[in-house]
Amino acid sequence: FTVIEKYRSDEDTDGNCYDWYIITNHNRYVDNFTPAKENLEGGIADAQDATCELSEELDQRITDIENALCELTEEE
């Protein structure tokens, strides 16, 4: 980029100095992957937890059905 003009200088309450310039152009790197990756990883963990809970509930339901069938056969 090329600096065309410095148009402002300022200092904040912590003593940091800032300058503003008019420039011809600039390039900026934007990382779109990291935030998406963090959301994806959180979603995967949530899905794994939900799958484990569902599996445990299903196992319990199957056990309940097996016990009910055993009780029915014992009554006859």
Side-chain angles (χ1 to χ4, degrees), residues 11-25:
E11 186 175 331
D12 66 16
T13 56
D14 296 326
N16 298 309
C17 297
Y18 299 93
D19 294 322
W20 285 263
Y21 298 91
I22 297 174
I23 61 175
T24 54
N25 58 31

Side-chain angles (χ1 to χ4, degrees), residues 14-67:
D14 296 326
N16 298 309
C17 297
Y18 299 93
D19 294 322
W20 285 263
Y21 298 91
I22 297 174
I23 61 175
T24 54
N25 58 31
H26 74 282
N27 296 316
R28 179 183 303 175
Y29 171 75
V30 178
D31 179 10
N32 292 321
F33 178 71
T34 299
K37 179 182 175 224
E38 291 169 358
N39 288 338
L40 181 63
E41 288 173 347
I44 289 172
D46 291 345
Q48 288 173 332
D49 291 345
T51 301
C52 287
E53 289 176 17
L54 183 60
S55 177
E56 291 169 2
E57 291 172 10
L58 184 59
D59 288 344
Q60 183 59 50
R61 185 67 181 136
I62 290 172
T63 300
D64 292 345
I65 292 170
E66 288 172 343
N67 290 339

